[in-house]
Structure formats: C-alpha cells, structure tokens
C-alpha cells in the first residue's frame, strides 16, 4: 500500500528547533509509519495556520498560546502534541543584570508579537510596562552596542550570535524557568483531520516522538537535511541549538520526564488559559479544552510501552 502523503509546515526557517521532524524524514521514521512526509519551511512572511485552514498543508508547528487564541476566532484547529515542554523564549541581558526583576523599568527590545504572547505575563508577574518596549530589529547588534538594552531571543539561537560578535556572555532568562506556562513546538491540525483521519494523526504524532528521540541521540541526519534546506544554517549555530535543547531540557523536561516526549496535560493547558484570561488575552467563558486533545500522545506512549501501568 502506498504511503500517505503528508505536508508539515514549520514556524521558521529550518533549524535545530525543528530537528525531530527533519530526523523523522531523514531516518525513514515517518516512512516506517506509512507516511510520506514533506516539510515546508515557515518564515516571517508565512502564516502557516492560514495555509492549514486553506488545505495547503496538513500539520503546522505552533505554540500553546496561539492554540487558545484560535478559539477567539472560532478557527477549526486542534493541537495534538507538544514537543517542547518549555518555550525557548527568553530575555538576553548584559552581565550586570542578575534577575528578570532587575529589568523592571529598563529598555527591552521586543517584537510586536510579544503583546499577544509573553509580554502580558511579564507585566503581570514583574510589573513591566509598555514604556519599556523598544523596537526589535531581528539583530543582536543594538543589544551589543547599548549596555542598558536587553532583548528578546531564543535560548537556542540569539545567545550564539552574541557570543560570535561580542566580548561578553549574555545573561539568559528563560521564561519557562520562571513559570511561563505555554507549550512550544506544538503540532496543530484541523478538526476535520482529527475526526475523519485519526489514524493519520496517530501515526504522525507517534513517528514525530520517535524522530525527536532519535535527534537527541544523534542529530547528524537531521543536520544534513536542515542544512540542505537552509543554506544559512552553519555548523556552529546548529550545534549550539542542539546543545541548548539538551541543556535546558526543552524536549525532555517538565511532564516529559515521567510521561514521555510530546506529552501534554490538562493541568498545563489550564495554567496557560488562566494566565491568558487574567491578562485579558482571552474571554473567561472560552472552552479552552477545545484547543487541544490528549488522546494521540497518550495513545502513542501506551503503544510504545504496553507493559507500563495505565
């Protein structure tokens, strides 16, 4: 029987942060599950959720807050797995800054998307204000040049750029380690796919779990494919990203320690919803449980570990 053709669209250019998916392609893991998966890169001009709703792709890489926000727009999409237990979003600061609290009132370069993701959390928890925000120029140069400026960044990416261009190591404050609850590198698909092709979703989720484990064991196959797709991804940046994914336990930390890669829980989704509701990002009467389903990741781990207690 021919493999089922599936298209995955990521949320940025090919990079280590997508490594498990590329590994599952390169190592034949998707093929072993009867899937012929092609991966399309995202980027600043790519709205992968729009592509999903238009039927141009089957799965997209997203994040927990967007999943709940989609309910405000009544979009028929469902998150089926979360491969990053910790969002890699952080603030990079100069060495004299000792804590996130020290940044209250100080200038921070952030993108406009911060307003609908982590900035309300910083306002609520640390008393940050809109007056602190400076335009983010998608470069570490302003940060390096201005000792009073901090900036947003992924722990897997921007710190490497600073190390290459500056004579100091930035302080890195990973939001997830301070209580930021949102999942990242989630997989979202349509309600139609979940309801009418659950076997395809199940196979994709299970194969992606295997892909991420294989990537963490040895990312060489993913690295080759990612560098073929993204000529700007050098060895140094890629290897740094892998090291930080492991160091910060982005994939294997949190509930994944006990329940396995890709796992999601009702409790964690409720924490994300509560934060969004308290920050005025979502209506209080929204049924946040419609944004996700746990059945596919739970079944994947049950199938992989049939002797484990249920």
């Amino acid at each position: 029987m021919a493999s089922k053709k599936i298209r995955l669209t990521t949320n940025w250019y090919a990079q280590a942060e997508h490594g498990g998916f590329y590994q599952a392609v390169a190592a034949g893991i998707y093929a072993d599950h009867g899937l012929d998966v092609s991966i399309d890169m995202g980027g600043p001009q790519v709205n992968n959720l729009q592509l999903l709703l238009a039927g141009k792709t089957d799965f997209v890489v997203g994040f927990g807050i967007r999943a709940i926000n989609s309910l405000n727009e009544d979009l028929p999409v469902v998150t089926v797995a979360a491969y990053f237990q910790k969002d890699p979003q952080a603030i990079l600061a100069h060495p004299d800054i000792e804590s996130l609290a020290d940044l209250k009132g100080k200038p921070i370069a952030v993108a406009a998307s911060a307003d609908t993701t982590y900035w309300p959390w910083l306002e609520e928890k640390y008393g940050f204000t809109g007056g602190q925000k400076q335009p983010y120029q998608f470069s570490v140069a302003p940060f390096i040049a201005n000792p009073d400026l901090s900036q947003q960044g992924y722990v897997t990416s921007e710190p490497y750029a600073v190390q290459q261009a500056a004579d100091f190591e930035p302080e890195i404050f990973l939001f997830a380690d301070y209580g930021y609850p949102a999942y990242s590198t989630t997989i979202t698909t349509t309600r139609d796919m979940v309801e009418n092709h659950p076997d395809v979703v199940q196979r994709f989720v299970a194969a992606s779990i295997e892909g991420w484990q294989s990537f963490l064991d040895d990312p060489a196959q993913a690295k080759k494919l990612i560098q073929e797709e993204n000529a700007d991804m050098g060895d140094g940046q890629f290897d740094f990203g892998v090291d930080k994914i492991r160091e910060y336990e982005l994939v294997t930390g949190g509930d994944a320690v006990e329940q396995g890669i890709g796992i999601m829980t009702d409790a964690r989704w409720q924490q994300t919803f509560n934060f969004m509701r308290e920050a005025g990002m979502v209506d209080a009467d929204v049924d946040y449980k419609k944004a996700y389903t746990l059945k596919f990741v739970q079944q994947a781990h049950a199938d992989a570990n049939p002797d484990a207690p249920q």
Side-chain angles (χ1 to χ4, degrees):
M1 185 175 66
S3 295
K4 172 71 173 176
K5 289 187 177 297
I6 290 296
R7 189 170 295 276
L8 167 68
T9 303
T10 67
N11 56 345
W12 199 248
Y13 305 122
Q15 55 187 341
E17 292 87 334
H18 306 135
F21 309 119
Y22 282 97
Q23 186 87 351
V25 171
I29 296 170
Y30 286 131
D32 290 343
H33 286 259
L35 301 174
D36 178 6
V37 175
S38 58
I39 302 178
D40 293 334
M41 292 193 301
Q45 307 303 321
V46 177
N47 185 329
N48 63 7
L49 197 58
Q50 191 175 70
L51 294 174
L52 178 67
L53 293 170
K56 303 296 185 182
T57 192
D58 301 293
F59 298 95
V60 299
V61 176
F63 52 97
I65 285 177
R66 186 173 70 169
I68 294 178
N69 273 334
S70 70
L71 298 175
N72 283 331
E73 304 172 55
D74 199 28
L75 301 180
V77 296
V78 186
T79 295
V80 296
Y83 294 99
F84 275 15
Q85 294 293 309
K86 298 180 180 182
D87 191 315
Q89 190 70 63
I91 283 182
L92 278 60
H94 287 265
D96 60 311
I97 300 296
E98 297 181 354
S99 70
L100 267 177
D102 290 344
L103 292 173
K104 181 178 179 180
K106 298 182 183 296
I108 305 173
V110 297
S113 59
D115 289 339
T116 55
T117 52
Y118 61 84
W119 193 263
W121 174 77
L122 291 171
E123 289 183 329
E124 177 187 5
K125 186 162 185 176
Y126 293 100
F128 287 17
T129 65
Q132 294 180 241
K133 292 188 292 184
Q134 303 292 315
Y136 181 56
Q137 300 178 28
F138 294 91
S139 167
V140 298
F143 166 70
I144 293 172
N146 184 353
D148 295 321
L149 181 68
S150 298
Q151 73 156 68
Q152 71 173 46
Y154 269 17
V155 294
T156 48
S157 182
E158 279 76 12
Y160 177 77
V162 174
Q163 290 176 12
Q164 299 308 297
D167 59 359
F168 65 88
E169 292 278 339
E171 291 293 326
I172 303 170
F173 301 106
L174 180 66
F175 296 155
D177 286 344
Y178 290 80
Y180 186 61
Y183 287 118
S184 185
T185 312
T186 58
I187 289 295
T188 297
T189 190
T190 60
R191 291 194 180 280
D192 177 74
M193 179 70 87
V194 166
E195 293 169 1
N196 296 314
H197 305 283
D199 61 315
V200 174
V201 179
Q202 189 65 64
R203 283 183 280 156
F204 185 83
V205 167
S208 297
I209 291 170
E210 293 179 30
W212 274 105
Q213 184 59 67
S214 174
F215 175 79
L216 293 174
D217 291 341
D218 182 356
Q221 290 174 287
K223 181 179 183 178
K224 183 175 184 295
L225 187 53
I226 285 171
Q227 290 182 324
E228 289 173 358
E229 293 293 310
N230 180 6
D232 293 329
M233 181 53 59
D235 289 346
Q237 176 64 79
F238 182 89
D239 294 345
F240 180 89
V242 174
D243 287 345
K244 294 307 174 184
I245 288 170
R246 290 169 172 159
E247 176 185 341
Y248 286 95
E249 299 182 325
L250 301 185
V251 176
T252 57
D255 294 312
V257 172
E258 297 292 337
Q259 300 183 54
I261 291 172
I263 202 69
M264 304 186 297
T265 67
D266 287 322
R268 182 76 174 274
W269 278 103
Q270 184 173 16
Q271 288 173 4
T272 302
F273 170 72
N274 288 344
F275 142 63
M276 293 178 67
R277 183 196 64 215
E278 291 164 7
M281 298 167 64
V282 66
D283 293 337
D285 60 353
V286 163
D287 183 1
Y288 69 92
K289 290 188 176 182
K290 289 183 178 180
Y292 67 94
T293 176
L294 306 180
K295 65 180 181 181
F296 296 106
V297 286
Q298 290 178 342
Q299 187 62 52
H301 285 294
D303 291 343
N305 302 283
D307 298 328
Q310 302 297 313

